[in-house]
Amino acid sequence: MSDPLGIAVIGCGTISDQYLRNLTAFADLRVLFCADLDTERARAQAQAYGVPGHGSAQEALAHPGVELVVNLTIPAAHYDVAATAIAAGKHVWNEKPLALDPDTGRKLLEEAADAGVRLGCAPDTFLGAGLQTARRLVDAGHIGVPQNALALLQGPGPERWHPHPEFYYRRGGGPLYDMGPYYLTALATLLGPAERVAAVARRARDVRTTGAGPGAGTEFPVEVDTHVTALVEYQSGPVASLVFSFDSPLPRNGFLELTGTEATLALPDPNTFTGPLRLRRAGTDDWTVIEAEGSTAGRGLGVLDMARALHTGAAHRASAELAQHVLETMDAIERSAGSGQFTTIGGAFDIPAPLPEGWTSGGPGEGGQRGPGAPHGPHANVTSG
């Protein structure tokens, strides 16, 4: 049995529960340190998940066993934390978005390449059973030639339930940058790179109110557009119609359909790791339900895939290049909405290979053994494959 890869989690806010629950359960990984600006919060999370170390980000990077940093800070801090970790010789997994703008994202990619370390980025939901099953169905020709996609995410906004919702309405937030990556990443892994976009955007109000937690009733400013409608054209030919909104009293989450020449595929919510899927073929009036096959372990699968790729030298699937293209797409949507014109999209990437059949996380309920290509020994000097 090989040694697990040493992990530090920097940023112990709400999303860290989902990550820590899984990262501490994967046999290929060992979470050694929890860090946060609020060191008491870091201590509480370390204690809750059995992590031996806690403290500041600087202490996390100085830990001799830490080889990969999972950066769960707010979007405005993604670059600074990731760049500091890269400079310290650590591999980095960033929560989405990769950075606040494409120029900063490209800079981060260059710094990782120069340092010879890996850089990955959320979302990793496309590695879950639902979207992996969709990938196999599309690759096998079950919908024919892909023609168009429809994505819809709308609701009243996260301030109703999140105790600290302000960052959702600052640069790097809003429905486009917060929720858009799930839909755009899913489509990118199915259709490849996007080429150009036309979009419009609106903001329903300039002030919102926290609805939960100790700050309930507190007003805060809105700095980003909160309703975005976009038409995206892909290099391979298909087009996608997208709506991302925090301005709707009626919630509709997880709507994603892909239509081809032979059938329409209703995908599961791209912010989840499960199924099922539904397929409706041309000439029929009914949907066929298709159960999802694959891992449903949840957030952290991309970190696990990175760790295993470090051992084998293969490319990790939730790559920074994929995340950079999604960032370029969101930036193009913003620019198109501002200019009223079609806008081209940059950021080349290779469509990640599907997970091999039978791939498991090795976590509880998925075999409990280390998966194929489990890492061993120090990896701080391993370059990307």
Side-chain angles (χ1 to χ4, degrees):
M1 296 290 285
S2 55
D3 296 330
L5 188 74
I7 304 289
V9 171
I10 299 181
C12 292
T14 302
I15 195 66
S16 69
D17 283 308
Q18 295 182 47
Y19 272 96
L20 285 166
R21 186 179 304 117
N22 293 325
L23 297 178
T24 55
F26 296 157
D28 299 277
L29 310 176
R30 186 182 178 208
V31 183
L32 298 172
F33 207 93
C34 288
D36 197 278
L37 285 173
D38 182 347
T39 55
E40 176 57 28
R41 184 161 59 183
R43 183 202 64 77
Q45 289 297 79
Q47 185 177 55
Y49 293 97
V51 176
H54 58 86
S56 68
Q58 292 78 11
E59 290 173 310
L61 296 179
H63 192 293
V66 170
E67 301 170 70
L68 187 151
V69 167
V70 177
N71 178 13
L72 305 182
T73 57
I74 63 173
H78 282 182
Y79 169 77
D80 289 339
V81 172
T84 302
I86 288 169
K90 312 298 183 183
H91 308 291
V92 174
W93 170 269
N94 255 18
E95 243 304 319
K96 48 78 184 166
L98 179 66
L100 291 181
D101 59 79
D103 288 343
T104 306
R106 283 189 290 272
K107 184 179 179 182
L108 199 58
L109 264 71
E110 292 168 0
E111 290 172 352
D114 290 344
V117 298
R118 299 261 185 157
L119 178 61
C121 187
D124 55 359
T125 45
F126 73 91
L127 298 176
L131 294 178
Q132 283 292 300
T133 300
R135 172 70 181 275
R136 290 191 293 270
L137 290 169
V138 172
D139 287 354
H142 285 272
I143 69 168
V145 180
Q147 297 295 303
N148 58 78
L150 179 62
L152 178 62
L153 178 285
Q154 64 183 70
E159 71 272 18
R160 298 183 66 186
W161 57 268
H162 198 288
H164 304 286
E166 295 87 353
F167 74 92
Y168 285 105
Y169 295 94
R170 295 173 183 157
R171 189 177 174 214
L176 177 60
Y177 279 78
D178 179 54
M179 297 302 297
Y182 297 108
Y183 297 80
L184 292 169
T185 301
L187 290 172
T189 62
L190 293 167
L191 302 176
E195 187 169 46
R196 63 175 186 156
V197 62
V200 294
R202 299 288 186 269
R203 186 183 310 177
R205 52 193 185 276
D206 293 325
V207 175
R208 299 229 174 186
T209 304
T210 301
T218 303
E219 293 186 340
F220 59 89
V222 177
E223 302 172 359
V224 295
D225 289 321
T226 48
H227 179 97
V228 177
T229 300
L231 177 68
V232 181
E233 184 176 21
Y234 288 83
Q235 293 178 14
S236 59
V239 296
S241 301
L242 317 173
V243 174
F244 304 129
S245 182
F246 285 167
D247 290 343
S248 173
L250 175 64
R252 288 193 182 101
N253 300 318
F255 187 97
L256 183 60
E257 286 184 352
L258 181 58
T259 295
T261 53
E262 304 299 327
T264 292
L265 181 64
L267 287 78
D269 186 341
N271 189 18
T272 68
F273 294 79
T274 59
L277 302 87
R278 295 180 298 133
L279 185 73
R280 183 165 175 169
R281 294 180 174 85
T284 65
D285 295 328
D286 298 317
W287 292 89
T288 299
V289 175
I290 301 172
E291 295 300 329
E293 295 183 3
S295 176
T296 58
R299 281 173 171 78
L301 285 181
V303 179
L304 178 62
D305 180 61
M306 277 186 71
R308 292 178 178 175
L310 280 166
H311 175 60
T312 64
H316 57 279
R317 291 169 174 83
S319 69
E321 290 77 15
L322 171 59
Q324 175 68 15
H325 180 73
V326 170
L327 181 59
E328 298 264 9
T329 303
M330 295 188 295
D331 178 71
I333 289 172
E334 280 193 321
R335 289 187 288 118
S336 176
S339 68
Q341 299 179 359
F342 270 97
T343 303
T344 57
I345 299 168
F349 71 97
D350 294 326
I351 299 177
L355 291 170
E357 189 173 349
W359 190 96
T360 69
S361 70
E366 291 193 0
Q369 300 294 320
R370 296 188 183 175
H376 61 86
H379 297 287
N381 296 318
V382 177
T383 59
S384 56

